[in-house]
Amino acid sequence: MRQVDRQSTVGEIVAKYPRTIQVMNRYKIDYCCGGKDSLEKVLQPWKEEARAIEEELNRVINKYTENNEVVKNWKEESLTQIIDYILETHHRFMNDTLCELNELTYKILKVHFASHGDSLLRLHHTFGLLKTELEAHLVKEEENLFPLIKEFEKTNDQNLKQRIDQFIQNTENEHDAAGDLFKEIEIITEDYTPPHDACFTYKRTFELLDALEKDTFNHIHMENSILFELISSAR
Ligand SMILES: [Fe+2]
Ligand SMILES: [Fe+2]
């Protein structure tokens, strides 16, 4: 029976065994912006439940061994391949979903203003901030950071590396800011629980917000714990 190492960072655990994300999400363990924290540290607030969470993680990890499952080791891929994967999956999903949610959050605000005006106004406002920040963030990665990284991979130019390190610092700060806005949205929507009188559109909005949060966490994990880690270890 394989045991998860409590000294491993949560980012490392997720990179090695991606299905542990489901357990992390369930217990609201921040494996993306907080990916550099050790499992030991993130389990501390859970006190007596920590053991049970660790066992759940072990069960997920052992399934990989039982099924002889080979997990894609991103750290063996080139930086360019990782970037292209991020663009094709997470950036595309984020762009499409932000666009759809922009209409939906406005629509439910208008239709349900009489019964849920307070929370829907807060949701509309906070989602607006999130959308503005995330769109700018995607453009900066696509136009600045990612092309620089691809160039660095080709040339190994150390001057480029310095500029990249600077960009990474700003990018990680923006990831933290997006994580905070998602936490606010979780509070406003009571963890994406629609009210009893919610219509189809209301439910769809909450489902999509929930999906966007989960995909964003995974996206940030790919950048912070895989792509940026590889760059910081590149000489
Ligand atoms: Fe990104
Ligand atoms: Fe990012």
Side-chain angles (χ1 to χ4, degrees), residues 211-225:
L212 179 65
E213 181 185 88
K214 291 198 168 80
D215 193 78
T216 305
F217 287 172
N218 207 342
H219 176 179
I220 293 176
H221 159 72
M222 283 293 296
E223 291 173 354
N224 283 11
S225 298

Side-chain angles (χ1 to χ4, degrees), residues 54-167:
E54 193 180 351
E55 274 166 19
E56 256 189 74
L57 288 170
N58 283 331
R59 271 198 296 278
V60 173
I61 290 169
N62 278 294
K63 276 263 180 291
Y64 282 92
T65 328
E66 282 164 28
N67 301 336
N68 283 329
E69 209 175 318
V70 182
V71 181
K72 186 176 182 74
N73 184 357
W74 283 106
K75 298 199 171 175
E76 285 173 357
E77 303 289 316
S78 71
L79 300 175
T80 300
Q81 280 170 316
I82 297 171
I83 287 173
D84 289 343
Y85 172 81
I86 291 172
L87 291 172
E88 282 157 25
T89 55
H90 300 300
H91 281 222
R92 179 174 299 176
F93 178 78
M94 188 174 268
N95 269 317
D96 293 348
T97 312
L98 285 174
C99 191
E100 189 175 345
L101 277 168
N102 194 41
E103 285 184 18
L104 290 173
T105 48
Y106 182 47
K107 197 167 172 185
I108 60 172
L109 172 67
K110 283 196 291 184
V111 175
H112 297 274
F113 187 77
S115 44
H116 300 290
D118 278 355
S119 66
L120 290 177
L121 277 172
R122 285 168 64 213
L123 178 63
H124 180 254
H125 176 74
T126 312
F127 173 76
L129 292 177
L130 179 73
K131 176 175 176 285
T132 307
E133 291 201 5
L134 288 178
E135 282 173 349
H137 180 78
L138 293 182
V139 173
K140 284 191 260 181
E141 287 182 343
E142 289 165 17
E143 299 298 320
N144 281 336
L145 179 61
F146 290 172
L148 277 178
I149 295 174
K150 286 184 174 185
E151 186 61 24
F152 169 67
E153 187 163 53
K154 272 194 237 146
T155 60
N156 205 24
D157 176 346
Q158 292 304 308
N159 291 327
L160 273 181
K161 172 91 165 37
Q162 280 184 4
R163 286 179 61 201
I164 291 169
D165 288 343
Q166 191 64 49
F167 269 118

Side-chain angles (χ1 to χ4, degrees), residues 9-16 24 31 34-37 221 225-226:
T9 68
V10 282
E12 283 165 355
I13 296 170
V14 167
K16 249 173 135 176
M24 306 264 183
Y31 67 89
K36 294 187 177 96
D37 291 337
H221 159 72
S225 298
I226 296 176

